[in-house]
Amino acid sequence: MLKINKKILFCAAEAAPLAKVGGLADVVGSLPTALKSQGLTARIIMPAHGSVSLRVWRAQRLAAFSVNLGNKKEKVVLFQAKVGGVHYYLLQNKHYFSGAVYEGNTLDKYLFFSQAVAASLPFLSFAPDIIHAHDFHAAGVLLTYLQKPVNLRPKLVLTIHNLQHQGWVAAFKFKSFGFNPEIVPAAAKNAAGDWINILAAGIAAADKITTVSPNYAKEILTKKYGQELEKLLIARKNDLVGILNGIDVSSYNPITDKALASNYGRVNSVSGKEINKKALRSYFALPDLPVPLFALVARLSDQKGIDLFSLDKLKSLSKKYPFQLIILGTGEEKFENLAASLAINLPEVVRAEIAFDNVLARNLYAASDYFLVPSRFEPCGLTQMIAMRYGSVPIVRATGGLKDTVIDGRNGFVFKDYAVSSLFSSLQRALHLYYQEPQEYRALRRAGMSADWSWQASAPKYLDLYNSLS
Ligand code: GLC
């Protein structure tokens, strides 16, 4: 039986366009619109981070209340805003939420967020049937229901966007945020029982757990990808489902994207991309040569495979098959330095822009011929889908959602091992194709551009999931 008008409250650290650091924001910001097509109403609750302008989004004040943390109280002001048809609730608190999304002590910030969400519920005039928490930052919301009888609480869903960030917190600190460590199951504690893993506790508490691609849902049951939670995940296997992310195809559309130097579609992709390439080369002071342009846009963390780019290999490969490479992103200093050193040591081939820049990112999708996602692990990955939509052929490692979306020889290149030699043999294959078999290269580009990367296929899967809860 189709149940319509279920009400779902998304709890998350970030949501685009209000605040975006990573792919989490894209998903949380775009999924509610997709769910509307399934007769579902999803609203978002998140901190009113200092970086979120309440004025720009025309937020209205709804209520003010205090959050009782046991030995202290904190005042929160609740705002609401409607952005692109999506209803947002924003929690303002001077002490915890005045910085950027992941600035400061994120454990304190998000334990407080979880209690603030629970305390805000009576003021929302929206009684959710389902609380849907995203990642460890919001998993604490589920823990506020630990001892409530199932029939007296909303149903609880947790989506894992990244298993690496789990949130280990000392039991005494957990307590100081109004939680009861005694009722957290042992599977979510260390052996001595005095530290709590917030994500693990969320996994144990949720009625259903999802992750963002079918392949990652399988991988995390293994030691290799389970980030030490594989036993717990295996125990919850029957309630775990992998649903592939979509992208917001109206925002990411090369025909209308205002950030681009020049708009183009499938019919004029060759000439359109050339104009964008010229513009980008001039921005980066790269010579305008008839060589392919590779792009990498990512958070520079150990997840993303930056350490696979060997300077010597890049040097010798570029002698055999000339190419250019632009890296864009920020992150850990070690990887920022690595990217910068490639550019310094190979100035005729590599540029590195250590920045978080959405406009530049969009121009890289549009200008590049190949897009690199050599991740160590990748729950879903959105950039390879955006790249394909913009006619940039992805070169990815066979992991997580990359494996679900990129098929070697059909729409991109896929390599198996997390190893320098493995990446470079696929780069060589890609270059060979570009130079020796341009028709074949264009066929890959066309396949990516004509595929449907929207939420259309996945939205009904969320409907099934929510319906399975009642
Ligand atoms: C995280 C994951 C990425 C995923 C995104 C959205 O950033 O690392 O793979 O696409 O969340 O779910």
Side-chain angles (χ1 to χ4, degrees), residues 116-251:
V117 170
S120 74
L121 291 177
F123 303 99
L124 303 183
S125 56
F126 178 77
D129 302 298
I130 295 159
I131 301 274
H132 188 153
H134 294 267
D135 270 353
F136 103 82
H137 321 101
V141 181
L142 309 188
L143 308 182
T144 64
Y145 292 99
L146 272 183
Q147 280 191 318
K148 295 242 166 75
V150 179
N151 57 340
L152 295 181
R153 62 154 172 82
K155 299 291 186 293
L156 308 175
V157 175
L158 175 70
T159 293
I160 301 167
H161 296 262
N162 196 331
L163 198 57
Q164 192 174 41
H165 304 296
Q166 302 181 356
W168 276 102
V169 60
F172 74 87
K173 185 180 254 199
F174 189 68
K175 206 168 174 179
S176 74
F177 280 91
F179 292 95
N180 179 0
E182 310 294 318
I183 57 176
V184 172
K189 289 179 176 168
N190 64 341
D194 51 1
W195 281 80
I196 288 160
N197 181 320
I198 301 171
L199 186 70
I203 292 170
D207 296 309
K208 292 279 176 193
I209 304 129
T210 83
T211 188
V212 286
S213 70
N215 186 43
Y216 193 62
K218 283 191 237 147
E219 286 178 343
I220 57 178
L221 302 178
T222 65
K223 197 164 168 30
K224 187 168 174 198
Y225 290 102
Q227 310 262 8
E228 302 192 1
L229 295 187
E230 61 275 10
K231 288 212 179 85
L232 175 61
L233 288 161
I234 289 169
R236 299 291 332 257
K237 198 170 91 190
N238 294 338
D239 295 312
L240 170 69
V241 48
I243 304 177
L244 189 71
N245 284 335
I247 57 168
D248 179 346
V249 289
S250 63
S251 167

Side-chain angles (χ1 to χ4, degrees), residues 22-27 135 159-162 212 245 299 303-304 377-385 401:
L24 169 65
D26 288 305
V27 171
D135 270 353
T159 293
I160 301 167
H161 296 262
N162 196 331
V212 286
N245 284 335
R299 271 177 297 113
Q303 177 186 341
K304 298 294 181 178
F377 69 93
E378 196 61 75
C380 178
L382 304 175
T383 59
Q384 80 279 13
M385 294 191 255

Side-chain angles (χ1 to χ4, degrees), residues 18 21 109 133 178 181 211 215 235 323 350 395 423 426 455-456 466:
L18 274 71
V21 178
K109 185 188 304 213
T211 188
N215 186 43
F323 65 92
V350 185
I395 300 174
L423 167 66
S426 70
W455 282 103
Q456 202 177 321
Y466 296 141

